[in-house]
Amino acid sequence: MDAVRQMNGCASSAQPSKWKSDFDVRDMEKRTRLMRVVTRRIALSELGNREIARRAGIPPQRISDLLAGRIEQFSVDELQALRETVEEDVTTPPPL
């Protein structure tokens, strides 16, 4: 039994990998929810993708990546910043 533990690492090392797995799943779920909110806001926005990218301070290709569902390329912080940028546009009334 000790030989098996040495080959696979100690028995307690299996637990942190499960925690890491759970953390990864929660992180992906959070990014997925944020992506859905941001893409919905972009659809409601009267701004084009280039203008949204300019206001968010990111290249326009990043907006295209988001709309194409390439969520793995975005961190939670990046998605949150995009959400705030797009929400400002949707909630701000157009000039008269």
Side-chain angles (χ1 to χ4, degrees), residues 16-76:
S17 67
K18 180 186 180 309
W19 290 337
K20 183 176 181 342
S21 174
D22 290 345
F23 177 75
D24 292 342
V25 169
R26 281 187 253 133
D27 181 63
M28 185 60 79
E29 288 172 345
K30 187 171 186 173
R31 286 193 284 166
T32 301
R33 283 192 304 272
L34 280 168
M35 184 186 81
R36 287 181 180 155
V37 169
V38 171
T39 54
R40 204 173 306 133
R41 296 289 183 162
I42 289 172
L44 294 173
S45 173
E46 294 182 9
L47 297 176
N49 292 355
R50 288 181 189 258
E51 180 60 21
I52 291 169
R54 185 190 68 75
R55 290 182 181 195
I58 61 173
Q61 180 61 38
R62 299 284 286 159
I63 299 294
S64 297
D65 290 342
L66 178 71
L67 296 175
R70 296 185 188 107
I71 191 169
E72 68 280 354
Q73 297 181 7
F74 292 88
S75 69
V76 171

